[in-house]
Amino acid sequence: MLEGRWKLDIMFQLFGGHVRRFSDLERAIPAVSQKMLSQQLRQMERDGIVRRIVHPQVPPRVDYELTDWGQSLCPALDALLGWVAARPEAQASETKEPG
Amino acid sequence: MLEGRWKLDIMFQLFGGHVRRFSDLERAIPAVSQKMLSQQLRQMERDGIVRRIVHPQVPPRVDYELTDWGQSLCPALDALLGWVAARPEAQASETKEPG
DNA sequence: CTGTATCCATCATGATACTG
DNA sequence: CAGTATCATGATGGATACAG
């Protein structure tokens, strides 16, 4: 229950202390729907991974950023990415190069 | 497409160079169905994470073990586990203690 | 024992419309 | 802009039966 295909995309947008508005994330992750973006952000907020900052103004503005704990996922994620990059098949065809 | 709730459970059974039979894994992961166990093992084999060893005998016997690449996931997974264990809420209530 | 095939229930997600 | 509500759909996984 409660999956999350988009959480990783969201985190990548937020890593490095970046602050992004809802519409920023929408544009940066074109394949995600408003519903999913909103839902995953709420879950991540509940899980203490992202912080939601509402600016009381009109039109409304909401910023999202990683919490310290969320930021601290970076090394583990890098380790994972390194593992993926080190897979045996990577020797032969990691990128599709012309020719 | 092609999710995997059980791959982690399978890997934990196989880490440390352990060799397990299909029925071993079934018993070790009670909540998994034959269908899922078989399917996830096939995917992991295709992905180069596990090696499938068929013993030509009757009754049939099939062993599974991690490939070197599969084993090499261990450090990254530990990093992830460490991150989970380090979450802020862990301070207050990591386990449900009576009273 | 070690699977595969089939049917079925559930859930995650997308599309769309609507709101403040 | 930043969402929420609702409906429709396909993926995902469980149960069961069957097979070598």
Side-chain angles (χ1 to χ4, degrees):
Chain A
M1 57 289 271
L2 296 183
E3 284 299 304
R5 298 167 37 186
W6 306 104
K7 296 201 175 75
L8 230 22
D9 300 78
I10 294 171
M11 297 210 67
F12 282 132
Q13 292 300 320
L14 264 25
F15 271 136
H18 295 316
V19 177
R20 304 287 188 219
R21 303 181 50 167
F22 188 87
S23 49
D24 289 333
L25 295 172
E26 264 191 296
R27 259 178 291 104
I29 313 171
V32 75
S33 63
Q34 280 192 327
K35 176 183 177 179
M36 280 302 104
L37 183 55
S38 174
Q39 174 182 303
Q40 311 267 312
L41 282 168
R42 298 296 182 155
Q43 289 177 17
M44 293 169 80
E45 186 191 8
R46 215 188 42 205
D47 292 342
I49 294 173
V50 308
R51 183 159 27 239
R52 185 165 176 270
I53 302 151
V54 181
H55 301 274
Q57 65 186 45
V58 43
R61 175 195 175 122
V62 182
D63 287 336
Y64 291 94
E65 62 182 11
L66 290 180
T67 61
D68 288 344
W69 187 52
Q71 285 284 354
S72 74
L73 217 206
C74 201
L77 229 41
D78 274 347
L80 228 32
L81 260 16
W83 174 76
V84 171
R87 76 184 183 284
E89 299 88 310
Q91 313 301 319
S93 61
E94 178 59 59
T95 57
K96 292 98 184 298
E97 320 197 16
Chain B
M1 58 291 270
L2 297 182
E3 283 299 305
R5 298 167 39 185
W6 305 105
K7 296 201 173 78
L8 231 22
D9 300 78
I10 294 172
M11 297 210 65
F12 282 133
Q13 293 300 319
L14 263 24
F15 271 136
H18 295 317
V19 178
R20 305 286 189 219
R21 303 181 52 168
F22 188 87
S23 50
D24 289 334
L25 295 171
E26 263 191 296
R27 261 179 288 103
I29 314 173
V32 76
S33 62
Q34 279 191 329
K35 175 183 176 180
M36 282 300 103
L37 183 54
S38 175
Q39 174 183 303
Q40 311 268 308
L41 282 168
R42 298 294 181 157
Q43 290 178 17
M44 292 169 80
E45 185 192 8
R46 216 188 40 204
D47 291 343
I49 294 172
V50 308
R51 181 159 27 238
R52 185 165 176 269
I53 302 150
V54 180
H55 300 273
Q57 65 185 45
V58 43
R61 175 196 176 123
V62 182
D63 286 335
Y64 292 94
E65 63 182 9
L66 290 181
T67 61
D68 288 345
W69 187 52
Q71 285 284 355
S72 74
L73 217 205
C74 202
L77 230 41
D78 274 347
L80 228 33
L81 259 17
W83 175 74
V84 171
R87 75 183 184 284
E89 299 88 309
Q91 314 300 320
S93 60
E94 179 58 59
T95 57
K96 292 97 182 300
E97 321 196 15

